[in-house]
């Protein structure tokens, strides 16, 4: 675990509603949001996002990646791949956003935050309701099954959870997801320093 690397959280959504919620949640956790990484789909290349991450004044740095429903290897997934494979970056977790995209295999989550703010060890659907499986379906998550990601927290589609994730109340659902990632990271850090 290299503490000199930039610590990054990736959110697999980037439309306007998601952008505002991610910006709010980033403030709530004392992180730094790269707002330019937003887009539906992601407009910046992974290489450009990496440059912005390295320029950020402090971390954790939060970035967005979105495929806009592309079930293949879309722009968002290409960006994720580049970010995760940069040797100066440590992706400490992913907030995997559910959608109703069909024909995707999805990804196994470590836990999820449902629309009521409850922690569950199952996946959630687009509306933030707990499902009966650990596999979260989304349009920018397929790549996560094939790469080494330390912690994946699922949430419903930002803005589709009956207002329970609204920025007017502090974007509590995505904030809690990010807090869960930080909690897991800090726990690993403590265990690592005891060795």
């Amino acid at each position: 675990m290299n503490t000199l690397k930039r610590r990054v959280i990736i959110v697999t959504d980037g439309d306007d509603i998601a952008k505002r919620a991610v910006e709010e949640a980033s403030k709530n956790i004392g992180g730094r949001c790269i707002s330019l990484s937003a887009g539906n789909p992601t407009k910046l290349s992974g290489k450009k996002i990496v440059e912005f991450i390295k320029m950020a004044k402090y971390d954790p740095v939060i970035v967005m990646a979105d495929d806009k429903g592309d079930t293949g290897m879309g722009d968002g997934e290409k960006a994720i791949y580049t970010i995760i494979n940069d040797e100066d970056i440590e992706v400490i977790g992913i907030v995997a956003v559910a959608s109703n995209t069909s024909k995707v295999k999805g990804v196994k989550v470590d836990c999820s935050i449902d629309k009521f703010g409850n922690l569950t060890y199952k996946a959630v659907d687009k509306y933030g309701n707990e499902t009966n499986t650990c596999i979260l379906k989304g349009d920018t998550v397929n790549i996560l099954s094939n790469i080494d990601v330390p912690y994946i927290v699922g949430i419903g589609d930002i803005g589709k959870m009956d207002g329970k994730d609204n920025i007017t109340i502090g974007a509590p659902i995505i904030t809690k997801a990010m807090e869960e990632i930080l909690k897991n990271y800090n726990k690993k850090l403590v265990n690592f320093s005891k060795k």
Side-chain angles (χ1 to χ4, degrees), residues 7-13 22 37 49 53 61-66 76-77 79-85 89-97 140 144 147 149 151-153 174 178 181:
R7 298 175 306 151
V8 171
I9 295 172
I10 298 173
V11 179
T12 67
D13 199 357
V22 169
S37 66
I49 294 172
I53 290 168
V61 183
I62 294 86
V63 298
M64 291 160 270
D66 194 324
E77 290 191 321
I80 289 172
Y81 187 80
T82 303
I83 296 162
I84 282 181
N85 285 293
I89 288 172
E90 181 181 5
V91 174
I92 63 172
I94 308 255
V95 178
V97 178
T140 318
L144 304 180
I147 51 183
V149 180
Y151 205 63
I152 300 174
V153 180
I174 189 160
M178 289 183 191
I181 288 169

Side-chain angles (χ1 to χ4, degrees), residues 3-194:
T3 51
L4 297 174
K5 293 186 174 191
R6 298 316 299 263
R7 298 175 306 151
V8 171
I9 295 172
I10 298 173
V11 179
T12 67
D13 199 357
D15 61 25
D16 285 341
I17 294 169
K19 178 188 170 194
R20 291 197 295 275
V22 169
E23 288 170 339
E24 183 72 19
S26 300
K27 273 188 252 166
N28 294 343
I29 66 159
R32 189 85 178 166
C33 176
I34 306 292
S35 297
L36 287 170
S37 66
N40 183 235
T42 298
K43 293 176 181 68
L44 293 182
S45 67
K47 193 177 171 196
K48 198 73 194 162
I49 294 172
V50 164
E51 282 175 30
F52 282 122
I53 290 168
K54 292 177 183 179
M55 284 163 41
K57 291 184 177 129
Y58 52 85
D59 58 22
V61 183
I62 294 86
V63 298
M64 291 160 270
D66 194 324
D67 274 353
K68 197 186 178 182
D70 188 338
T71 54
M73 179 82 152
D75 294 333
E77 290 191 321
K78 286 174 189 164
I80 289 172
Y81 187 80
T82 303
I83 296 162
I84 282 181
N85 285 293
D86 190 280
E87 57 185 23
D88 297 320
I89 288 172
E90 181 181 5
V91 174
I92 63 172
I94 308 255
V95 178
V97 178
S99 69
N100 59 2
T101 308
S102 56
K103 297 177 187 163
V104 293
K105 63 182 181 194
V107 66
K108 187 176 185 213
V109 295
D110 292 286
C111 65
S112 296
I113 308 297
D114 73 11
K115 71 178 177 186
F116 302 106
N118 300 315
L119 178 75
T120 170
Y121 292 98
K122 297 282 180 75
V124 290
D125 64 16
K126 177 179 181 172
Y127 305 104
N129 299 308
E130 184 182 313
T131 66
N132 58 4
T133 173
C134 298
I135 306 299
L136 179 136
K137 299 288 181 81
D139 72 346
T140 318
V141 302
N142 276 358
I143 190 175
L144 304 180
S145 299
N146 306 321
I147 51 183
D148 188 23
V149 180
Y151 205 63
I152 300 174
V153 180
I155 63 168
D157 192 343
I158 301 165
K160 305 276 192 327
M161 291 184 268
D162 298 332
K164 292 182 168 48
D165 61 334
N166 204 295
I167 60 164
T168 58
I169 53 170
I173 307 303
I174 189 160
T175 298
K176 194 162 181 185
M178 289 183 191
E179 286 171 345
E180 203 54 44
I181 288 169
L182 285 174
K183 206 186 297 179
N184 177 70
Y185 176 77
N186 290 331
K187 195 165 63 182
K188 278 185 171 174
L189 214 53
V190 169
N191 292 338
F192 183 75
S193 63
K194 283 179 182 171

